[in-house]
Amino acid sequence: MMAIDGTDRVFLFLQGPHGPYYRSLARMLRASGAAVWRVGFNKGDEVFWGHRASFLPFAGPQSDWPARIREILADKAVTDLVLYGDTRFIHAEAVRAAEAAGITVHVFEEGYLRPYWVSYERGGANGHSRLMEMDVDAMQRVLANAELDIPEPPAHWGDMRHHIFYGALYHWFVMFANRRYAGFRPHRDLSVTKEFALYIKRLLLMPYQALERMLATMRVKNAGYPYHLALLQLAHDSSFVQHSPFTSITEFLDLVIGGFAEGAPRHHHLVFKAHPLEDGRENQRRQIRRIARDKGVADRVHYIRGGKLARLLDHARSAVTVNSTAAQQVLWRGLPLKVFGRAVYAKPEFVSTQTLPEFFAQPARPDSRAYRDYRHYLLETSQIPGGFYSARGRRQLLRQIVDMMLAADDPYDALEKGTAAPRQQLRVIK
């Protein structure tokens, strides 16, 4: 087996998770012998990178980006491109240029089995992942020689507070110190000022919202009625925007509540659970109440703001979602699941093909044994213990991820060829 070495490798980083993760990753790649560069698009990128000699500012209009990225790839003799998500304009254009030049594309994302894992793949993530084309039978054949004991997800929540803090700090720099980057445009529709205000509001309201969430969850659990869960997503999330059939969250709400009203037994209830990072830019609670009232089920439809999903899943009958990664927890518990968008877990063994009224009337259960094999496969390949935002999570992630990036084989090929390095045991990240 060839030694893992960064000599003759040139990594180019684009935008990444808020906070110091990219800076720590680059430092370790340099220690391996690799050269590392970073293109920055705003002051937040510049501050969190913290290495002026390798920072390449891009301050022009987006229309200049396709030509500029091709120029950078050639000028720096880039061998590896590093991204966080692959759908925003600057990343999608960079991926096209890199693939045309034969450059390896490394894609990070929030974990498919979050919050205690992150995803690392080559070429694409989510709807562009290699997992989309793999069937469970093939995964089971590859796993025949694997010896990993599947760890249970830890009970303690992840590094959400760090995530929100670094998001607020990043947007502060963009809002107040971005004069150098006149051409910068956020990849989301909301202005930077509004993004910053929403982060601050969320930080300030966290204690109140935690109490509200606890009381709402207790009401649902103690009421004694059977209920189904609807897992909401952020309207601006790339999985929802790029890999779903809906143009708005409202369309999804209307479809789900309508199907529930038509098919669910009259003593069943429907509980919408908001995404943990839902910041109120769309008043989902108001929309749900309006649609439920119009469908005649207002007294049977409920809304819970964020929080830990496990407490609700413990008593749920089924779950529906567009393509939320939280659905992996649904399948882990063997609960029936209905999805509408493209997702790496949307395999015929796991998700229902029933119509929505049929699903709410009598949902079909997944093949739990096949799902455990699928989850095992992910834990052996693209799911890496650790996190982007807390110091402890970053340390755990970096112990493994640099070797994986320098390896000749991507995580899926490495498992099949027997070149995958041993995995760390999962530790609770606080």
Side-chain angles (χ1 to χ4, degrees), residues 35-48:
V36 183
W37 298 91
R38 168 77 187 270
V39 180
F41 300 84
N42 57 56
K43 191 65 175 181
D45 292 343
E46 182 179 337
V47 170
F48 281 127

Side-chain angles (χ1 to χ4, degrees), residues 41-43 58-62 177-186:
F41 300 84
N42 57 56
K43 191 65 175 181
F58 177 80
Q62 284 196 345
N178 215 44
R179 185 175 301 175
R180 182 184 185 186
Y181 301 90
F184 172 70
R185 296 292 180 271

Side-chain angles (χ1 to χ4, degrees), residues 126-406:
N126 293 314
H128 299 144
S129 168
R130 286 184 61 189
L131 290 169
M132 298 297 298
E133 310 304 324
M134 298 183 193
D135 59 57
V136 177
D137 287 343
M139 296 178 188
Q140 290 170 328
R141 287 194 295 272
V142 171
L143 283 172
N145 297 320
E147 298 178 355
L148 178 69
D149 290 331
I150 304 176
E152 294 281 351
H156 193 281
W157 189 246
D159 45 8
M160 186 62 65
R161 288 171 297 174
H162 301 86
H163 189 163
I164 295 171
F165 169 77
Y166 283 127
L169 186 59
Y170 178 90
H171 285 90
W172 187 93
F173 285 118
V174 175
M175 193 167 69
F176 293 110
N178 215 44
R179 185 175 301 175
R180 182 184 185 186
Y181 301 90
F184 172 70
R185 296 292 180 271
H187 66 281
R188 295 171 180 163
D189 294 335
L190 214 58
S191 70
V192 173
T193 302
K194 290 183 178 178
E195 285 268 8
F196 174 72
L198 288 170
Y199 272 107
I200 294 299
K201 178 182 177 182
R202 205 174 143 64
L203 281 170
L204 294 175
L205 291 178
M206 283 184 78
Y208 163 76
Q209 291 177 350
L211 177 61
E212 177 197 39
R213 180 170 60 246
M214 180 184 71
L215 294 174
T217 302
M218 287 177 60
R219 283 194 294 269
V220 168
K221 290 175 62 177
N222 294 336
Y225 46 66
Y227 63 86
H228 307 263
L229 274 177
L231 307 179
L232 295 175
Q233 294 166 244
L234 301 176
H236 54 270
D237 180 74
S238 61
S239 291
F240 181 84
V241 174
Q242 300 290 335
H243 304 302
S244 88
F246 304 108
T247 59
S248 70
I249 288 290
T250 305
E251 291 181 6
F252 173 68
L253 298 178
D254 188 75
L255 179 66
V256 171
I257 296 174
F260 173 79
E262 180 180 346
R266 297 179 68 175
H267 62 291
H268 284 207
H269 288 234
L270 176 64
V271 178
F272 284 91
K273 183 195 173 295
H275 188 279
L277 289 174
E278 178 57 46
D279 53 21
R281 68 186 63 190
E282 292 189 16
N283 195 324
Q284 294 179 347
R285 187 197 303 270
R286 182 183 303 164
Q287 294 181 56
I288 289 167
R289 285 175 175 171
R290 175 185 58 78
I291 297 170
R293 185 173 60 251
D294 293 344
K295 304 290 186 183
V297 290
D299 60 334
R300 297 164 53 204
V301 176
H302 314 274
Y303 175 86
I304 294 179
R305 188 195 301 270
K308 196 170 183 180
L309 179 59
R311 294 168 184 161
L312 291 169
L313 284 176
D314 287 343
H315 305 285
R317 288 295 184 91
S318 72
V320 298
T321 187
V322 178
N323 53 8
S324 170
T325 55
Q328 300 266 10
Q329 295 186 49
V330 177
L331 293 171
W332 176 245
R333 285 167 171 77
L335 295 175
L337 176 67
K338 177 74 175 174
V339 302
F340 295 93
R342 287 170 52 82
V344 295
Y345 56 79
K347 308 296 184 185
E349 293 89 347
F350 311 149
V351 301
S352 173
T353 59
Q354 298 165 285
T355 66
L356 201 49
E358 291 171 345
F359 180 81
F360 281 122
Q362 192 170 2
R365 296 177 66 87
D367 182 340
S368 293
R369 180 171 296 179
Y371 177 72
R372 286 174 181 265
D373 289 337
Y374 167 84
R375 186 174 181 274
H376 188 178
Y377 182 82
L378 262 60
L379 290 171
E380 287 270 31
T381 53
S382 61
Q383 302 306 287
I384 317 302
F388 298 125
Y389 305 104
S390 72
R392 187 175 298 185
R394 290 193 300 275
R395 289 195 298 268
Q396 187 172 25
L397 178 56
L398 288 167
R399 289 188 184 103
Q400 192 149 344
I401 195 61
V402 175
D403 286 358
M404 295 180 68
M405 294 176 72
L406 293 173

